[in-house]
Amino acid sequence: MSKEKPSESCAAKQYVFRQLTPAVIVIAVVGLLSPSSWAASAPTKVTIHVPSKSLSIMPYYFGKDKGFFGSEQIEPQLVMMAPPTAIVALVGGELDFSSTTGAATSAIMRGLPLRRFFYVQAEPSHALIAQPEIKSIQELAGKVIGVTSLTDAVGMSTTMILRGNNIDLSRTTLLAMGVTDNTLKAFATRKIAATLLAPPYAEELEAKGYNKLADARTYAPLSFIGLVGSLEAVKKSPHKAQGVVAALYRTMLYMHSPANRNEVIQYIARYHNIDLPLAEKAFRAQMLSYSKDGTKPRKLVEREIEIYRETLKIAKQFTPDDLEDMSLLRKAQESGVR
């Protein structure tokens, strides 16, 4: 594990004091203190941020329901909040981990001591969905587009799609909505003209007559979902990180197995209360993006770094090793976890 640099620690403290205001974060964790007689057998409670309940994040819920986390003596407490808020909470020690790799990457490039430890997605599965009357990306010029955050993978991908279609960004508004639920409400009430959504939300809206304009993976190989933690927290409690990584690894292996395909599709149908044909369509779209083993090809990570540096106007050079630490995953793989 990389040793935390003094400059990173200073940057982290400045970041938290600058952005963390009273009542920004309220996380209720019940039962953190258990009687000493339970300590030997009780799973370790781990608080993990999730940005939505889309299929991008589903492995956390699926792995929890299948008992993969329990097998690692981990009890995940999944907390939904906006990605930028989650990063503040993570740096401030209010969260153990975050699943949002996009907002974390922006933070890392600004000097915060965070790292990616696992990739749930190697590429984005999100699609740009527009109101029924909007038939092309060019028609989004001058319109309002909803994103979860301007500096997370959703915001970055939306920017890359618009740039790739020669849309004047100065005339188009990207509106930060926080969490996907807020975005969906704004879309339904027509407060935004378009938004970037993961399966099955994109497929559900397509079925209702909304228009799919582009796939995010065509424009930017950004990571949306994985496992992110602070170097200090992982150093203090390595068993938490190792347990979560091992559980996610088992989950992804299980979901990728053809033998479990029907079970996963049925889970999706129940998880989102949708019919099986729609669940299967969403499953096919999402599986194109899931990492098979928790890793992401180095060339894609390098391209991702270029996109973030360009968009955030960061001059400092970065390598994949500055963003990720795959040692815990390698340990899980070498231990024969299945």
Side-chain angles (χ1 to χ4, degrees):
M1 194 68 61
S2 301
K3 187 175 181 181
E4 180 183 337
K5 299 178 183 178
S7 61
E8 291 179 327
S9 178
C10 179
K13 291 176 181 177
Q14 291 174 351
Y15 185 85
V16 173
F17 286 127
R18 188 167 61 248
Q19 298 199 33
L20 189 59
T21 57
V24 167
I25 304 165
V26 178
I27 300 176
V29 180
V30 180
L32 285 178
L33 299 178
S34 301
S36 58
S37 60
W38 298 355
S41 59
T44 300
K45 292 186 178 181
V46 178
T47 312
I48 305 171
H49 155 252
V50 295
S52 71
K53 290 193 71 175
S54 71
L55 297 195
S56 298
I57 203 73
M58 191 193 75
Y60 278 94
Y61 291 92
F62 184 78
K64 181 179 180 180
D65 290 343
K66 286 292 294 183
F68 293 144
F69 285 91
S71 296
E72 301 297 330
Q73 288 297 295
I74 295 293
E75 184 180 337
Q77 311 286 300
L78 304 178
V79 182
M80 193 178 298
M81 64 176 73
T85 304
I87 297 304
V88 175
L90 186 62
V91 174
E94 300 294 333
L95 288 167
D96 290 308
F97 301 101
S98 172
S99 64
T100 178
T101 53
T105 301
S106 297
I108 292 170
M109 289 189 170
R110 287 167 173 158
L112 299 190
L114 307 174
R115 290 294 183 274
R116 301 171 174 183
F117 295 100
F118 191 94
Y119 292 95
V120 171
Q121 285 183 288
E123 291 187 297
S125 60
H126 285 56
L128 182 63
I129 305 296
Q131 297 287 353
E133 69 276 11
I134 297 176
K135 309 296 184 182
S136 70
I137 296 176
Q138 281 66 36
E139 293 177 53
L140 292 177
K143 301 289 196 305
V144 178
I145 303 172
V147 296
T148 50
S149 169
L150 301 180
T151 57
D152 70 354
V154 173
M156 293 282 182
S157 293
T158 304
T159 297
M160 294 300 293
I161 292 172
L162 296 177
R163 282 180 178 171
N165 287 273
N166 300 313
I167 301 298
D168 185 353
L169 296 178
S170 66
R171 293 184 55 230
T172 304
T173 301
L174 297 188
L175 184 62
M177 308 299 298
V179 296
T180 300
D181 284 351
N182 294 340
T183 306
L184 290 170
K185 290 175 183 176
F187 199 56
T189 55
R190 302 183 64 83
K191 293 180 180 178
I192 56 177
T195 187
L196 207 65
L197 292 171
Y201 303 125
E203 287 74 17
E204 286 185 278
L205 288 173
E206 271 193 282
K208 293 178 180 179
Y210 294 84
N211 293 316
K212 176 181 174 180
L213 303 182
D215 288 307
R217 72 168 62 85
T218 303
Y219 295 86
L222 303 183
S223 296
F224 281 61
I225 300 298
L227 182 72
V228 176
S230 75
L231 294 173
E232 181 180 2
V234 172
K235 183 178 180 180
K236 287 182 178 179
S237 303
H239 65 286
K240 288 184 178 180
Q242 188 65 67
V244 175
V245 167
L248 285 173
Y249 180 55
R250 292 184 63 191
T251 301
M252 300 312 294
L253 291 179
Y254 190 91
M255 292 180 66
H256 274 288
S257 172
N260 304 319
R261 183 177 185 275
N262 289 337
E263 178 189 351
V264 175
I265 292 173
Q266 290 173 4
Y267 181 89
I268 291 170
R270 295 194 303 272
Y271 180 79
H272 280 285
N273 192 29
I274 56 179
D275 60 35
L276 283 174
L278 186 57
E280 184 171 9
K281 182 179 181 181
F283 170 81
R284 289 198 305 270
Q286 185 61 58
M287 291 301 287
L288 295 173
S289 299
Y290 279 148
S291 170
K292 293 183 179 180
D293 59 2
T295 65
K296 178 171 180 171
R298 191 175 181 89
K299 287 186 177 181
L300 292 185
V301 180
E302 290 172 345
R303 173 58 182 144
E304 192 170 9
I305 289 172
E306 292 175 9
I307 291 171
Y308 275 89
R309 288 184 62 242
E310 178 184 355
T311 305
L312 298 175
K313 302 186 185 309
I314 293 175
K316 181 181 176 181
Q317 296 292 322
F318 286 86
T319 71
D321 295 331
D322 297 317
L323 266 62
E324 62 185 36
D325 180 346
M326 297 287 102
S327 61
L328 296 174
L329 176 58
R330 287 194 295 270
K331 186 175 180 180
Q333 293 170 336
E334 292 166 2
S335 68
V337 170
R338 288 290 184 271

